[in-house]
Every structure is written in structure tokens, then in C-alpha cells.
Amino acid sequence: MIARLEAAGAVLVGALNMGEYAYDFTGENVHDGASRNPHDVSRMTGGSSGGSGAAVAGGLVPLALGSDTNGSIRVPSSLCGIFGLKPTYGRLSRAHTFPFVASLDHVGPLARGARDLALAYDAMQGYDGDDPVCVDRPADPVTPLLSQGFDGLRIAVAGGYFRDGMFPQAQTALARVAAALGAADEVEIPEAARARAAAYVITASEGAARHAARRRLCHHRERGRRAACRAAAQTRA
């Protein structure tokens, strides 16, 4: 994805903070610290692509890349007040990224506006044989569609599972957006809670299996470090 963006004229600025193993909804990293929301640094960015959300929202860069397994592009985009795209599975290559859960992983852009998001998405489209699930189909540019606006689109508010537990402030914000978009209908997605539970099971089992060897290595290193500390303490005593 970086190579395709650079081919389209993008300049790579650097790496950004994210939750370890891309398994985080707050934007915190135990090694590098927390990503801070540029609108209020006492608040979190959301994660796991928290550094990307903060950099874009803070005006450091016009766009950034993130990965999304269970919301890691969408959550920081929402909390930082920007746009994020989790593309259809298989539309953008994930090759050469560090995987978390291959069955659910996506790579996508974050930007401050829909046009920047569309331009980045179009630049990254295309088949990549290095990603076994990347779909072999022609690019389908979306930037020209922006001029059509949202006339003809059917927009509704997701109720039920998606409304349950919402804070009053979120309810108010949702009502304002729905009114601006003319979304008067509310729909419920059957079995949404069960689907979410299934996603957790897939994430936990597949993620654990994929990273088992790495976790064992980290565990052995930690045991060795503790043993060395004990030996040093006994020597000093």
C-alpha cells in the first residue's frame, strides 16, 4: 500500500503509534505510551490505529494508513472527528503488514475529508498476488462518484444493539447527524449481538494461534530476564 501511494505522489513521513498487536480500542501502547486526542489531549484517540487518527486530526499529515480487525480504523476516526475507511474484504492488499487475525484484517486510509479518503483508496486499489485473499478484479475508482453527492442513497439509523448503552451525548450527536442527512428511518440488524460475540471468538482463537510462537518467545525472554535479576540480587547480597 505504501508503494502504491508513493507511486501516486505521496511522501512517507514516518511511523505512528498503535496498540500492541493491533488489539486495542483506546490508542495506548505499553511500550510507547498513549496516543493523545489532538482536540483534547486529556482524552484518548481510540485504537488500535490511534496514532494515525491523532496525526490526521491534528493536521500533521493529510492522510494515514491504519488496520482494522474489529474497528481499529473506525474507532479512532470517530473519536478524532475524521473520516476512516474499512474497505470491503479483499479489495485492498494487506501484503507485508504484520497480521493479527487474517480472517478479519483490513488495511485502509484515514483522512480529514471524503475526497482525500477516496483519492487514497483509488491509489491503493489493484490486485496483489502477495495477499492470498486480494480479489483479482479491475480497479473501480470512487473519486468521480463524489460529485453525485448522496442523492438516491438510503440512509437509516442503526437501532437495537447499536443504540443499547449509548451515552446521552452520543444520542444527541446521532440525532443531529440523522437530521442533517434526512435519515428518518431506524433499522435493526438481526443477531448483531451474536455476530459480535462470534467476532470475539474468532479474534481470540485465530489471533492466539497465529501469535503463539511469538508469545512463547516473549515469555521465555521474560523468564530469563527475571532469573538474571534474581541472580544479580543474590550476588550483591
Side-chain angles (χ1 to χ4, degrees):
M1 294 297 94
I2 292 174
R4 288 179 177 176
L5 286 172
E6 288 182 328
V11 177
L12 179 64
V13 175
L16 294 164
N17 195 15
M18 68 178 296
E20 189 174 16
Y21 290 98
Y23 197 17
D24 152 71
F25 280 122
T26 65
E28 296 171 284
N29 185 297
V30 67
H31 306 289
D32 301 316
S35 301
R36 300 297 182 184
N37 194 311
H39 301 295
D40 181 348
V41 295
S42 69
R43 298 180 182 271
M44 64 184 180
T45 58
S48 63
S49 303
S52 298
V56 172
L60 301 180
V61 291
L63 60 93
L65 292 179
S67 64
D68 193 310
T69 304
N70 288 305
S72 291
I73 289 175
R74 293 162 288 166
V75 171
S77 296
S78 177
L79 269 60
C80 292
I82 59 174
F83 291 77
L85 176 65
K86 174 195 173 187
T88 299
Y89 189 75
R91 286 299 278 148
L92 295 185
S93 173
R94 308 164 306 171
H96 313 299
T97 62
F98 191 81
F100 175 29
V101 180
S103 297
L104 301 173
D105 285 347
H106 300 67
V107 171
L110 298 86
R112 288 193 298 278
R115 181 172 177 78
D116 285 347
L117 203 67
L119 289 169
Y121 176 68
D122 286 349
M124 292 188 290
Q125 286 193 55
Y127 175 66
D128 185 352
D130 288 339
D131 182 352
V133 304
C134 191
V135 178
D136 188 0
R137 58 177 287 182
D140 187 13
V142 298
T143 304
L145 302 178
L146 294 179
S147 61
Q148 299 178 11
F150 56 85
D151 291 340
L153 293 179
R154 294 180 295 171
I155 304 174
V157 174
Y161 170 82
F162 296 97
R163 269 193 184 276
D164 294 343
M166 285 180 67
F167 292 138
Q169 301 94 318
Q171 295 278 14
T172 300
L174 175 62
R176 290 172 58 190
V177 173
L181 295 175
D185 296 329
E186 183 168 316
V187 298
E188 287 196 32
I189 300 177
E191 302 290 0
R194 186 171 295 180
R196 185 63 181 136
Y200 277 127
V201 172
I202 294 169
T203 299
S205 57
E206 187 176 326
R210 176 172 290 276
H211 298 293
R214 184 181 180 88
R215 293 301 304 155
R216 281 195 294 268
L217 177 60
C218 291
H219 176 68
H220 290 319
R221 285 177 175 172
E222 179 63 16
R223 288 182 61 184
R225 185 189 67 81
R226 291 179 180 178
C229 288
R230 286 195 297 269
Q234 291 170 357
T235 299
R236 287 194 298 269

